[in-house]
Amino acid sequence: MSVVKNSVEKQHHVKKRVPGVSDAASKRSAKLTETLLKKKHVVRPRKAHLTAFSRIVSGELLAGFAAVKSIREGYPAHILKSASSFFDVPDARIQSIAQVPATTASRLEKKQANIDPAATERIYRMGTVTRMAIDVFENQDAAIKWMCQPNRTLGGVAPLDLMDTEPGAVSVRQVLNAIETGGVA
C-alpha cells in the first residue's frame, strides 16, 4: 500500500490538466483518493472522468435514506459511460445490465438528464457489489477482473452480468461471502 500511497502523493504534487475535467472535479477526485488511502483498500478511478461511478463503488455517496432518495431522483446518464470505463467493457454491456437502450442513453446524456430509478438502482447495485468484491479480494483490479469474467459457480455467467436483478446480485454476494470465509467459489 505504501507504493500506492507514494505514487498518489507524487500525483498530488504534479498538476496535470485533464481535458474535460473541471478543477473542482479534479479536487474532489484527489480528496476521494486521499480518503480511500486512509481506509484498508483503495478504489482508484481508472481515468479522470470516472468519478461518478467510482464514488458509488467507494461507498462515499450513499447509505440508507440518502441512497433511496438518490435512486428515486436517478443518476445522471453519463454514469453509464463512467461504469463501462471503470470495468473497461463496452458501453453496450453496461447499458444492457442497466436496461437502458443505447439511443435512450445517448439522448439522456446529450440533454444532461437522469436515467430512470430502475436503471439507477441497477447501477447502484453494480457499485455496491463491486465494492464488496474489492473488499474481499483486497485489490481493485482483481475484483474488476473477477466481476467481468464468467464464473462456474454462477452457471458460467460473469458476476457483472447478474447485476440486472436483485436475485442475481444475491447470488454474487453469496459467492463473495464463500470466498471471504474460505469456501470454494
Side-chain angles (χ1 to χ4, degrees):
M1 185 155 141
S2 64
V3 173
V4 172
K5 186 174 183 177
N6 288 339
S7 70
V8 170
E9 286 173 355
K10 287 178 187 174
Q11 289 174 6
H12 288 296
H13 296 295
V14 178
K15 280 244 179 191
K16 292 182 181 176
R17 182 73 176 119
V18 180
V21 177
S22 69
D23 288 332
S26 294
K27 287 177 184 175
R28 283 192 306 271
S29 181
K31 185 174 179 174
L32 170 63
T33 302
E34 284 180 303
T35 302
L36 293 170
L37 282 172
K38 292 176 186 174
K39 295 182 180 180
K40 184 178 176 183
H41 311 295
V42 178
V43 176
R44 297 180 309 274
R46 290 180 167 210
K47 295 179 184 164
H49 70 281
L50 299 183
T51 56
F53 186 75
S54 295
R55 289 177 68 198
I56 296 169
V57 173
S58 72
E60 172 191 328
L61 272 187
L62 311 167
F65 291 115
V68 173
K69 181 180 181 221
S70 180
I71 289 169
R72 287 178 178 163
E73 290 171 359
Y75 291 154
H78 68 81
I79 201 161
L80 298 168
K81 282 190 186 286
S82 177
S84 66
S85 294
F86 182 89
F87 289 107
D88 196 23
V89 298
D91 292 348
R93 186 170 179 185
I94 299 299
Q95 291 164 353
S96 174
I97 295 164
Q99 298 180 10
V100 177
T103 54
T104 301
S106 177
R107 179 177 45 79
L108 291 173
E109 195 168 349
K110 283 179 186 172
K111 292 170 66 176
Q112 297 182 344
N114 293 348
I115 56 178
D116 66 51
T120 297
E121 187 169 11
R122 291 181 194 100
I123 295 295
Y124 176 80
R125 181 183 307 131
M126 191 182 308
T128 58
V129 172
T130 301
R131 172 77 246 162
M132 183 179 181
I134 292 168
D135 288 344
V136 168
F137 291 106
E138 298 183 357
N139 180 294
Q140 178 175 315
D141 293 332
I144 289 170
K145 183 177 178 182
W146 183 84
M147 288 289 292
C148 294
Q149 293 183 342
N151 185 300
R152 278 194 323 205
T153 306
L154 297 169
V157 176
L160 182 63
D161 296 324
L162 294 172
M163 296 299 103
D164 61 333
T165 66
E166 184 56 29
V170 167
S171 297
V172 173
R173 289 185 196 107
Q174 288 172 339
V175 171
L176 286 168
N177 281 327
I179 293 169
E180 187 171 42
T181 59
V184 178

